[in-house]
Amino acid sequence: SLDSYDPSKAAAILFAILYGMTTLLHIIQMCLTRKWYCWALVMGGLWETTGYILRIISVDNPDSSGYYSPMLTLIVLAPAWIAAFDYMTLGRLINTFLPSKSALGLRARRITLIFVLFDILAFVVQGSGSGFLVSSDGDNFQIGSYILIGGLTLQVIAFGFFTITAVRFDIKYKREFGVEGRERFAALLYCLYVSCLCILVRSLFRIAEFAEDYPGRLSKNEVYFYVLEAVPMLPTLIMFNFWHPGTVLVGAGSSF
């Protein structure tokens, strides 16, 4: 087996179903609300769902890299799509609810652009690392681990600045308007905070996993994968089914 343990088929089926259901609902919600920028969240869900479907197939073909390699790549990179959605949502919150349409001295559009470009860089670096990682060559595996750690670290740094920007937006709104009207976006803002925390936990797990000599403790026990990768990423999709941006971000300011 390409895994250092016997993977659970039942767990892979469960998460493929759960990710598939929330993603399908997001596609419907995106079309109904016409918030087309939510395609980034949909992409994250599709990559997660496809990753776990390939994990199911990989369980039955334990020595085939044809399923294992794309499965690993999709699951490792899927959070970058969700992060991009978080960045775009925050920019639209600032543009919709702050008259100045800026935070930290930057216009909302520029904030979105900076974070998304940073996310693309992290995505490309992680994608390059996963390409090395799935190689059977020991040296390439080590190189891939270092590159992936670099990409994940970029993601963690971006989330640090993202959190500061989100807090600044909230403080600035309260300073201008008090708590009046804050209920319009508070739930969505809290969802962004939770999403950020979930992706951060998952990224720190991956950094720790890839930093170990392979196979290390984290990569030899499947429970770590599900508790620190599969479970944390699920709320990042489900939360936005209940508190969808389309119900909060309305009007001209939300449409860039």
Side-chain angles (χ1 to χ4, degrees):
S1 171
L2 293 171
D3 283 307
S4 51
Y5 50 75
D6 292 325
S8 168
K9 188 173 183 178
I13 291 172
L14 173 63
F15 280 93
I17 292 171
L18 291 174
Y19 277 110
M21 289 172 63
T22 181
T23 302
L24 177 60
L25 185 53
H26 272 300
I27 293 171
I28 295 170
Q29 289 175 304
M30 178 179 68
C31 294
L32 290 176
T33 63
R34 304 182 71 81
K35 293 298 179 186
W36 305 118
Y37 86 92
C38 291
W39 70 268
L41 188 62
V42 169
M43 285 295 289
L46 288 173
W47 282 40
E48 292 280 8
T49 304
T50 307
Y52 286 98
I53 290 172
L54 289 173
R55 191 172 179 87
I56 296 167
I57 301 171
S58 184
V59 171
D60 294 327
N61 300 271
D63 298 313
S64 172
S65 62
Y67 300 111
Y68 182 85
S69 298
M71 177 268 291
L72 178 66
T73 300
L74 288 170
I75 292 176
V76 166
L77 294 181
W81 290 109
I82 300 169
F85 166 80
D86 288 347
Y87 301 149
M88 289 189 281
T89 300
L90 179 60
R92 283 162 174 78
L93 277 171
I94 294 169
N95 208 51
T96 302
F97 293 102
L98 289 182
S100 65
K101 301 187 184 301
S102 66
L104 294 177
L106 293 171
R107 303 286 289 179
R109 292 173 185 267
R110 185 158 294 180
I111 288 172
T112 298
L113 179 62
I114 290 170
F115 278 123
V116 169
L117 288 176
F118 209 87
D119 192 57
I120 291 170
L121 176 61
F123 182 92
V124 171
V125 173
Q126 289 179 67
S128 301
S130 67
F132 280 99
L133 204 64
V134 297
S135 170
S136 59
D137 183 277
D139 291 336
N140 280 348
F141 186 93
Q142 198 63 55
I143 293 170
S145 295
Y146 292 144
I147 295 174
L148 262 171
I149 289 171
L152 289 163
T153 302
L154 285 174
Q155 201 168 63
V156 170
I157 292 170
F159 272 127
F161 285 107
F162 170 79
T163 304
I164 292 170
T165 308
V167 170
R168 178 60 184 163
F169 155 69
D170 203 14
I171 291 172
K172 196 170 181 181
Y173 182 89
K174 289 177 183 175
R175 187 175 294 162
E176 293 187 33
F177 304 104
V179 294
E180 184 180 348
R182 187 176 177 275
E183 71 280 354
R184 293 174 295 170
F185 64 81
L188 182 58
L189 182 62
Y190 292 144
C191 285
L192 289 179
Y193 286 140
V194 174
S195 176
C196 179
L197 179 62
C198 288
I199 298 177
L200 185 62
V201 167
R202 172 264 173 193
S203 297
L204 291 174
F205 157 64
R206 284 299 194 177
I207 288 172
E209 180 189 25
F210 295 131
E212 291 183 318
D213 290 332
Y214 187 84
R217 181 183 178 187
L218 294 175
S219 59
K220 286 194 295 186
N221 194 331
E222 190 177 28
V223 69
Y224 289 119
F225 169 80
Y226 280 105
V227 171
L228 296 172
E229 167 74 57
V231 171
M233 291 311 303
L234 201 53
T236 65
L237 288 160
I238 293 176
M239 286 185 307
F240 293 113
N241 288 133
F242 289 95
W243 295 281
H244 194 271
T247 62
V248 178
L249 297 171
V250 294
S254 65
S255 301
F256 72 86

